[in-house]
Amino acid sequence: MIRLILIVILNALISNVVLNQFLGICSFLGVSRQIKASASLGGAVIFVITIASAVASILYNGILVPLHLEFMKMIVFILVIAALVQIVEMFLKKKSPSVYKALGIYLPLITTNCAVLGIAIDNIDKFGYNFIESVFSGFGTAIGYTIAIVLLAGIRSRVDEEAIPRPVRGAPVVMLAAALMSIAFMGFTELQPAIETVLKGVGQ
Amino acid sequence: MKNKYLERLYNGLIKENPTLVLMLGMCPTLAVSTAAINGITMGLSSLAVLVLSNFLISVMRNVIPDEVRLPAYIVIVASLVTVVKLLIKAYLPSVDAALGLYIDLIVVNCIILGRAEAYANKHTPGLSVMDGIGMGLGFTVALTLAGLVRELLGAGTVFGFTVFPQEYAVGIMIQPPGAFLVIALFIIIMNAIGIKTRQHELVNSDGCDGCCATCAMRCEEAKEEVK
């Protein structure tokens, strides 16, 4: 249990998916105009990344490894994730139209979001997590994404009202805000050695 | 006839530079620009995938049915990326260690799918290959430039050669925040000297215009449906 909580903290705060790993930058910069939209996108990302991590882990350990087809993982993952998002979309549309209305626009965006594919590959290549750990790692990553995008949206709603020199308006000021957030999140990296020691100690 | 091919190179390198003007492929630009050499290797790997995918898609443009073209492109690109990844792992292990996951993620790079959708599926293989070379070189130049600035300011070196002692370097430039700072700086400079870029779309797109050709198209449909 401690292990799973630490995996979530590690992925959400320390190696934050956007501010530290630079995955999913486009939607991070593009959708962070309003807090409400950001929170909706965050919700959709939590939903999709958690499910995608679980499905990718099952496919890899259940089908690709027994057949010795590990090198096929990229092709399999990207197609499965793309199909998965469409299924999730259809399911939500039928079963809960209100959730679909809130998340609908953002679901297709996530299909080719590098964060989804990136964490599915990282779970296997970099960390070697098992099924449960992969799910929590995906969940933690998505929480980290949501925290980052909602915070950036908060900053942007203030920045937009300020008088900014012309060349800095638009993308540069958003990137500068992201840089400052990234510096703040670097503070968490001090925790990394401690958490990794505990993770090793607690074992599988 | 020759001009048409050279025009593709000019277009990719300068007029529609994928990173600096079209603002595509931000994830790898920010992530691997920690050193100039990383920028070059990442740029060239992407160039290889882009040229081959443009060629294959252009050759098969009359065979692939229109309704399933995106999944078909994704499969083609993913296969090529797998080949490149395995080659790099076998022959250039140091590059694999430095770039790691970002080689895999070439598959979702919007420059590749974007060029397939915008150019290769409408033009002849020869032109498509030149378009791939132009765009790939444009991406490589931009990545190397960002890497050069970050490496110089952050470690005091250029391609590993010391320019000034490391004690005077600003360490944060090769940490994650430095990536945002350098790209912001590039856009500020281009705005100041009046080069038109898609920088406003980058931050005001509702995500529909940001990353990938695939999501851009599906996104418009979904917006209509929700309305």
Side-chain angles (χ1 to χ4, degrees):
Chain A
M1 196 59 212
I2 294 173
R3 193 179 162 79
L4 297 179
I5 293 171
L6 286 180
I7 287 175
V8 171
I9 293 175
L10 189 71
N11 280 296
L13 297 178
I14 297 164
S15 53
N16 186 285
V17 65
V18 270
L19 298 172
N20 192 295
Q21 311 279 318
F22 304 112
L23 304 175
I25 288 288
C26 299
S27 51
F28 174 67
L29 295 176
V31 186
S32 55
R33 222 172 357 162
Q34 294 133 359
I35 295 181
K36 199 168 165 243
S38 306
S40 302
L41 177 63
V45 166
I46 293 177
F47 206 70
V48 171
I49 291 193
T50 311
I51 299 175
S53 300
V55 172
S57 178
I58 293 172
L59 274 178
Y60 185 77
N61 293 315
I63 297 176
L64 295 183
V65 172
L67 294 175
H68 304 292
L69 287 174
E70 288 92 340
F71 66 91
M72 290 281 285
K73 66 174 179 295
M74 205 162 12
I75 303 174
V76 172
F77 285 0
I78 186 136
L79 288 178
V80 167
I81 290 169
L84 184 79
V85 175
Q86 298 226 9
I87 294 171
V88 168
E89 207 182 326
M90 284 192 276
F91 180 81
L92 282 183
K93 204 172 177 180
K94 187 106 175 102
K95 292 289 171 196
S96 101
S98 58
V99 178
Y100 177 74
K101 230 177 161 126
L103 306 185
I105 307 174
Y106 302 110
L107 281 173
L109 267 185
I110 303 167
T111 316
T112 40
N113 188 328
C114 14
V116 187
L117 184 66
I119 196 64
I121 293 176
D122 253 359
N123 279 341
I124 287 157
D125 274 2
K126 193 164 146 201
F127 304 117
Y129 286 151
N130 62 26
F131 173 68
I132 307 270
E133 287 165 348
S134 296
V135 174
F136 276 81
S137 154
F139 178 69
T141 303
I143 293 283
Y145 180 90
T146 311
I147 293 174
I149 196 172
V150 171
L151 287 177
L152 182 68
I155 295 172
R156 281 186 72 177
S157 62
R158 287 292 190 86
V159 165
D160 284 350
E161 292 158 11
E162 302 294 331
I164 300 165
R166 185 168 287 276
V168 190
R169 262 180 235 168
V173 73
V174 180
M175 291 230 181
L176 292 176
L180 293 176
M181 283 173 65
S182 181
I183 293 174
F185 270 73
M186 268 174 75
F188 289 114
T189 47
E190 295 290 311
L191 286 171
Q192 193 165 9
I195 289 193
E196 272 167 4
T197 324
V198 178
L199 278 182
K200 276 200 193 97
V202 174
Q204 295 300 316
Chain B
M1 199 60 197
K2 200 183 163 201
N3 266 337
K4 229 162 113 190
Y5 290 89
L6 287 181
E7 187 268 332
R8 280 290 99 204
L9 284 186
Y10 169 76
N11 185 57
L13 262 172
I14 295 160
K15 199 172 139 219
E16 286 185 9
N17 186 299
T19 316
L20 297 173
V21 178
L22 299 184
M23 302 273 153
L24 298 173
M26 274 296 144
C27 307
T29 311
L30 292 165
V32 304
S33 57
T34 47
I37 191 73
N38 287 351
I40 290 194
T41 45
M42 180 70 191
L44 292 181
S45 319
S46 310
L47 182 137
V49 175
L50 183 55
V51 169
L52 289 171
S53 76
N54 263 9
F55 176 73
L56 286 177
I57 287 165
S58 174
V59 167
M60 294 198 269
R61 68 186 188 279
N62 297 324
V63 185
I64 300 171
D66 208 34
E67 300 81 40
V68 293
R69 67 183 192 285
L70 286 174
Y73 298 166
I74 289 179
V75 173
I76 291 172
V77 177
S79 320
L80 291 170
V81 172
T82 308
V83 171
V84 168
K85 168 92 180 170
L86 291 177
L87 282 175
I88 288 179
K89 225 175 183 167
Y91 293 107
L92 302 164
S94 59
V95 173
D96 184 55
L99 301 180
L101 180 66
Y102 297 100
I103 298 274
D104 295 272
L105 291 178
I106 294 176
V107 73
V108 279
N109 189 326
C110 25
I111 299 173
I112 312 231
L113 280 175
R115 287 329 281 176
E117 184 67 19
Y119 197 85
N121 70 354
K122 298 183 196 81
H123 293 86
T124 56
L127 277 174
S128 300
V129 166
M130 286 311 274
D131 182 71
I133 295 176
M135 284 284 161
L137 285 179
F139 184 54
T140 312
V141 167
L143 272 181
T144 313
L145 205 62
L148 209 65
V149 174
R150 280 182 73 186
E151 193 185 341
L152 180 67
L153 296 176
T157 59
V158 169
F159 287 106
F161 298 107
T162 311
V163 175
F164 55 81
Q166 202 171 3
E167 296 88 76
Y168 300 113
V170 192
I172 206 155
M173 294 308 279
I174 48 172
Q175 303 283 350
F180 289 111
L181 289 176
V182 166
I183 301 297
L185 190 74
F186 280 7
I187 305 176
I188 292 173
I189 291 172
M190 281 190 293
N191 285 348
I193 58 177
I195 297 174
K196 250 190 140 38
T197 64
R198 280 179 66 257
Q199 57 116 348
H200 279 286
E201 282 85 344
L202 181 68
V203 289
N204 292 315
S205 59
D206 279 339
C208 271
D209 194 37
C211 230
C212 325
T214 335
C215 46
M217 265 165 292
R218 290 276 295 114
C219 192
E220 291 304 325
E221 280 171 34
K223 258 189 167 171
E224 291 297 311
E225 274 176 39
V226 172
K227 270 176 197 163

